[in-house]
Amino acid sequence: MSTNTKIAVGGVAVGLLLLIWLPWWAALLIVLGVPAAAYLALDPSQRRRLRDRRRRQLGR
């Protein structure tokens, strides 16, 4: 298994555990809030590189 696959499987497992352990709205807040907070913590140059990389993957 590749590293990205392992990360994805781990994320799904954590998400399912959160749904069982916490109310659905709290789990949703964590699942959506953590990536958003991580993105906002980036410098503007890092955000620009991330956007450019995403565009390249889409074939633009």
Side-chain angles (χ1 to χ4, degrees):
M1 246 192 305
S2 71
T3 303
N4 286 340
T5 305
K6 290 177 187 175
I7 292 171
V9 169
V12 168
V14 168
L16 289 174
L17 286 173
L18 284 174
L19 280 174
I20 292 169
W21 190 54
L22 294 173
W24 68 271
W25 58 268
L28 184 66
L29 184 65
I30 292 170
V31 168
L32 296 178
V34 169
Y39 179 77
L40 292 174
L42 295 174
D43 292 336
S45 63
Q46 291 172 323
R47 289 183 197 169
R48 187 171 37 256
R49 279 193 311 188
L50 186 62
R51 275 195 309 266
D52 291 343
R53 192 171 184 185
R54 228 181 275 150
R55 284 189 193 128
R56 244 181 276 134
Q57 287 178 351
L58 291 174
R60 292 184 186 174

